[in-house]
Amino acid sequence: METRYFNAVKQPEAGTKLGGSVIRSGGLVAFPTETVYGLGANGLDGEAVNKIFEAKGRPNDNPLILHIAKKSDLKELWKSVPERARLLMDEFWPGPLTMVYLKSSRVPEEVTGGLDTVAVRMPDNRTALALIRAAGVPIAAPSANLSGKPSPTTADHVKADMNGRIDVIIDGGPCNIGVESTVVSLMGGAVTILRPGGITREMLEAVIGPVNLSPAVLAPLKQGEAAASPGMKYRHYAPDAQVIVGTGSLPDMAAKLIAEYDRREAEGLACIIFATEETRCFYRGKRYVIIGERKNPLTLCESLFAQFRAQEGKADVILCEALPETDMGLAYMNRLLRSAGFKTI
Ligand code: AMP
Ligand code: MG
């Protein structure tokens, strides 16, 4: 199949207009959001949704998020809208918050991987919202990467993975958050973070009081343990290289990363350190790249996946720094630990 390209800045309407009709007629459109690029299909059409799983090579039991363009569309997708959902969407929509609750009969089982709940969000991106409006249906969309690869934060990343597999790519420039949305479950009368993201635990708690954190956010699932969020079962965000995470106080952590660097280089492996503005001084004489600032973890989230992709075919080992697991540091550590298969030193 030939993939058609549109630039959302130069042709703001052409892409969303054609994209909307492609989605309505059962095709696939990749589009920018504030988090990462999404790969969209008609969320009310099970057959169209199946094409997403095919194009990505994604396991069918890993459910998708439905994207809507106005808050009032939520009530058609859920059985009912609990009060805590209203509070959260009034504060955080449009934005990087996905909420999971009991689905209505309109939502096909292909979207939910057979679960009786469905995940919904309203993205904060002009092109994404225009595309959903043009389609006239909720858009089911996971990240627009091949399953297992780092999520795409530019249209070039999407092209690298999806060229020839999907109908349309709309280029809206680089995504400004760079990690996927926060996913919360509203089941059981509570609010539980299944995946941390741009809306932090601290922000949620300021609006709604205490919020639970699923144990799978920072640790691998134990054998035989059921995943609250099916996506947590799978290896994620994995670059070609092996990722290793250094922990401890800054000088200790840097010393461990350098020792590992020297050991692996001696084995003939190409190493690179993902350094930060604050820690570059520790890595003099080593190969490193500065990926952001520790004092502003959003900068690290923004560039992590792009930096992984930039190392493809170059580094065998990527040495990274752990961050405190607060505010955006929680989302960063969730992605980093999964990329590393939880290998820390
Ligand atoms: P992605 O679309 O690749 O960003 O992944 C969507 C994430 O949302 C996955 O980790 C899913 O497991 C999670 N998710 C989607 N729907 C549900 C649901 N009904 N219950 C729990 N988690 C969900
Ligand atoms: Mg994904």
Side-chain angles (χ1 to χ4, degrees):
M1 136 182 355
E2 198 198 326
T3 303
R4 298 179 63 180
Y5 292 86
F6 293 90
N7 184 304
V9 179
K10 293 190 200 126
Q11 319 147 272
E13 273 169 31
T16 51
K17 206 165 157 219
L18 179 87
S21 71
V22 165
I23 293 226
R24 253 201 322 280
S25 58
L28 298 184
V29 177
F31 61 97
T33 78
E34 78 278 35
T35 59
V36 301
Y37 273 75
L39 177 57
N42 180 348
L44 302 179
D45 174 354
E47 234 173 87
V49 165
N50 274 334
K51 293 183 192 163
I52 294 178
F53 291 95
E54 240 168 79
K56 282 181 59 94
R58 179 174 171 115
N60 281 74
D61 67 346
N62 192 357
L64 307 178
I65 296 169
L66 290 180
H67 293 71
I68 58 177
K70 55 180 199 299
K71 294 176 190 173
S72 57
D73 287 346
L74 178 61
K75 60 182 184 301
E76 269 140 58
L77 304 174
W78 281 359
K79 237 178 187 164
S80 61
V81 179
E83 185 52 27
R84 56 197 181 290
R86 286 184 205 286
L87 286 170
L88 291 174
M89 75 179 159
D90 282 347
E91 189 63 40
F92 298 117
W93 279 6
L97 177 68
T98 297
M99 298 192 288
V100 172
Y101 196 61
L102 292 171
K103 78 177 197 73
S104 75
S105 57
R106 289 191 77 193
V107 177
E109 62 177 12
E110 286 83 354
V111 170
T112 67
L115 296 174
D116 59 358
T117 54
V118 67
V120 184
R121 111 172 167 99
M122 179 176 171
D124 186 14
N125 176 287
R126 212 187 308 158
T127 303
L129 293 171
L131 179 69
I132 301 165
R133 271 188 231 109
V137 289
I139 296 186
S143 48
N145 51 288
L146 290 174
S147 199
K149 290 269 169 202
S151 297
T153 56
T154 68
D156 278 347
H157 299 162
V158 178
K159 191 172 172 183
D161 281 11
M162 290 295 159
N163 192 31
R165 293 171 169 263
I166 63 177
D167 300 286
V168 175
I169 297 176
I170 304 177
D171 183 350
C175 302
N176 47 18
I177 296 182
V179 293
E180 304 81 352
S181 60
T182 303
V183 179
V184 297
S185 167
L186 303 185
M187 299 295 286
V191 179
T192 305
I193 296 177
L194 304 179
R195 176 176 76 186
I199 303 298
T200 64
R201 184 183 197 171
E202 292 80 356
M203 291 160 79
L204 293 166
E205 290 190 332
V207 173
I208 202 102
V211 165
N212 305 320
L213 190 62
S214 165
V217 165
L218 291 172
L221 283 173
K222 298 195 186 75
Q223 193 138 34
E225 191 178 348
S229 173
M232 290 175 184
K233 280 192 302 218
Y234 299 104
R235 178 141 194 234
H236 253 100
Y237 320 122
D240 291 341
Q242 186 187 5
V243 178
I244 298 172
V245 183
T247 61
S249 69
L250 288 191
D252 275 1
M253 177 187 69
K256 282 192 260 181
L257 291 179
I258 287 168
E260 188 71 14
Y261 180 109
D262 288 341
R263 195 168 70 76
R264 297 304 188 94
E265 288 264 319
E267 289 169 2
L269 296 174
C271 296
I272 185 142
I273 298 168
F274 279 9
T276 60
E277 288 296 349
E278 294 91 334
T279 53
R280 61 196 296 172
C281 55
F282 293 117
Y283 306 121
R284 293 170 59 122
K286 308 293 173 193
R287 216 171 306 113
Y288 69 84
V289 50
I290 295 169
I291 68 163
E293 300 173 352
R294 294 180 63 86
K295 68 168 186 288
N296 185 0
L298 182 59
T299 60
L300 300 170
C301 288
E302 215 182 305
S303 65
L304 182 69
F305 292 144
Q307 292 288 355
F308 277 155
R309 283 183 181 259
Q311 292 303 326
E312 265 169 29
K314 293 187 189 155
D316 302 307
V317 181
I318 301 176
L319 297 151
C320 299
E321 300 181 354
L323 279 189
E325 288 146 5
T326 52
D327 296 305
M328 280 305 283
L330 183 63
Y332 184 72
M333 287 306 290
N334 169 267
R335 304 312 190 276
L336 192 57
L337 287 170
R338 267 155 215 285
S339 307
F342 296 93
K343 179 156 176 58
T344 57
I345 53 174

